[in-house]
Amino acid sequence: MEGVSFGINPFVWGIYNLIDGGILRAVLQHNTFTENQAAVLFGVCFFLCAVLSYLIGSINCALVISRLFYHEDVREKGSGNAGATNVLRNYGKKAAILTLLGDGFKGVLCILIASAVFGAPESEMLYFHQVHACYLSAFFCVLGHVLPCFSKFRGGKGVATMALAILALNPLIFAILLALFVALVAMSKYVSLGSVVGAMFYPVILHSFDSMEGSSHYGVGLYALMLGLLVLWAHRGNLKRITSGTERKLSFSRQKSETVSENDTSDAASSDHSTQDRQ
C-alpha cells in the first residue's frame, strides 16, 4: 500500500493504511483542478467528514437501547450518564455490551468513511490529508457522543467511542492503553479513573511512537490531546466524587449495585443528575 510505503507501521498507525482507492483520489485523477480549486475541494471534504462524524457520534446507543427495549431514558436512572457503565448497573450485561459495541463502532465507522473519501495516497502530501481526516473524524465522533445534537447535548463520557477509534487509528497503542485501563480498574474499581488516565496517556504514548517512527511532522498528537482533554472534561464530575469518596465503584452484579447505602445513592444522584455532570 502507498501509505505503508511512507515508512508507517500499520500496527501503530491504523486501518486507513490498508484501504486503497478513495473518492477524492478518483476525482483528482479524472479532473483537472487549479491549486485554489483543489484547496477548496480538500476543505469541503474535511468539513463534510467532520460534520458527518459529529452526527454519527450524536446517535447514542445507551439512549436507543434504553428507550427501544426498556421504554425508559437511561439518563433518568442511576448515575444519569448515557453510557455503558450506567446501562450495566440498570439493565445488565447484555444491554451494556450492546451499548459498548454500538458506541465504540461509531468511531471506527467515521474513520472508515474518512478513508473512503480521501483514499490511499499517491504522494506524501495526499497521505498527510488522509491521516488528518481520520483523526479529525475520530475527534468529532467523540464530541458528538459527549454533546449530541439529537439528545439536547446530554450524552455519555465518550470512552467507548474513543477506545475503538484508537483501536482503528493505533492498534498497538490501544493494547497498551487497554492494559493500563484494566490494571487501574482492577485496583481501584473506578471505571472513570481508568478511563481518564488512559485518555490522558494516549497523546503521550502516541507522541513517543510518532517520534520513533520519524513521522512527527504529521502532527496527529494534537488530535490525541484534544480527545484526551474532551474525555477529561466529560469526567469532571466523576473526578470530584472520587476525591470526595462518593463515586460508585464497578460491580457486575445488578443486585449488589442496587443495594448500595442510601447515603451513597443520594450523594451520587444529587451530583450526577445535575445538568453539568450529565454532559
Side-chain angles (χ1 to χ4, degrees):
M1 291 297 171
E2 296 290 344
V4 178
S5 69
F6 294 128
I8 306 302
N9 183 345
F11 291 102
V12 175
W13 296 107
I15 59 175
Y16 51 84
N17 284 286
L18 306 177
I19 297 177
D20 196 9
I23 298 173
L24 185 57
R25 182 179 178 183
V27 171
L28 292 173
Q29 288 177 340
H30 292 87
N31 297 276
T32 302
F33 295 93
T34 65
E35 185 175 339
N36 289 337
Q37 289 173 334
V40 171
L41 180 62
F42 276 102
V44 170
C45 289
F46 273 112
F47 177 77
L48 291 177
C49 284
V51 172
L52 184 58
S53 296
Y54 173 77
L55 293 176
I56 292 174
S58 293
I59 303 172
N60 188 289
C61 292
L63 293 178
V64 172
I65 290 173
S66 65
R67 287 173 175 170
L68 184 63
F69 296 105
Y70 302 97
H71 309 292
E72 297 175 336
D73 187 335
V74 69
R75 296 173 299 178
E76 303 301 327
K77 300 178 70 65
S79 67
N81 179 51
T85 303
N86 197 33
V87 170
L88 172 65
R89 289 181 177 134
N90 290 282
Y91 304 121
K93 297 178 184 177
K94 291 182 180 180
I97 291 173
L98 287 175
T99 300
L100 187 69
L101 293 177
D103 284 337
F105 277 109
K106 292 189 301 187
V108 178
L109 175 61
C110 292
I111 292 168
L112 290 175
I113 291 174
S115 282
V117 172
F118 283 84
E122 47 191 21
S123 71
E124 189 166 0
M125 181 197 72
L126 292 177
Y127 184 67
F128 177 91
H129 291 308
Q130 181 188 21
V131 171
H132 279 257
C134 291
Y135 277 84
L136 181 72
S137 296
F139 171 76
F140 272 94
C141 184
V142 177
L143 179 64
H145 181 81
V146 175
L147 298 171
C149 61
F150 301 135
S151 308
K152 300 180 180 179
F153 302 100
R154 294 168 50 200
K157 302 299 175 67
V159 176
T161 307
M162 178 180 179
L164 264 72
I166 294 176
L167 175 61
L169 293 168
N170 316 106
L172 181 58
I173 296 176
F174 169 81
I176 296 172
L177 294 175
L178 179 61
L180 177 62
F181 170 83
V182 170
L184 285 172
V185 174
M187 289 186 294
S188 68
K189 303 300 182 183
Y190 290 131
V191 175
S192 53
L193 180 62
S195 301
V196 169
V197 172
M200 295 311 298
F201 263 88
Y202 177 44
V204 176
I205 299 175
L206 178 61
H207 177 72
S208 299
F209 276 101
D210 199 22
S211 299
M212 287 189 295
E213 291 285 328
S215 56
S216 58
H217 57 282
Y218 288 118
V220 294
L222 177 60
Y223 297 101
L225 179 60
M226 291 192 301
L227 277 169
L229 292 176
L230 178 60
V231 172
L232 176 66
W233 177 82
H235 283 83
R236 62 198 184 281
N238 301 83
L239 297 177
K240 290 179 182 178
R241 290 190 294 278
I242 289 176
T243 57
S244 64
T246 59
E247 175 77 342
R248 296 176 67 179
K249 294 187 177 182
L250 177 66
S251 173
F252 288 98
S253 170
R254 291 177 61 190
Q255 183 177 2
K256 182 178 179 180
S257 176
E258 291 167 358
T259 57
V260 294
S261 67
E262 293 182 2
N263 290 335
D264 181 65
T265 304
S266 61
D267 287 341
S270 61
S271 177
D272 285 327
H273 285 187
S274 65
T275 302
Q276 184 181 21
D277 285 351
R278 277 178 172 171
Q279 295 175 342

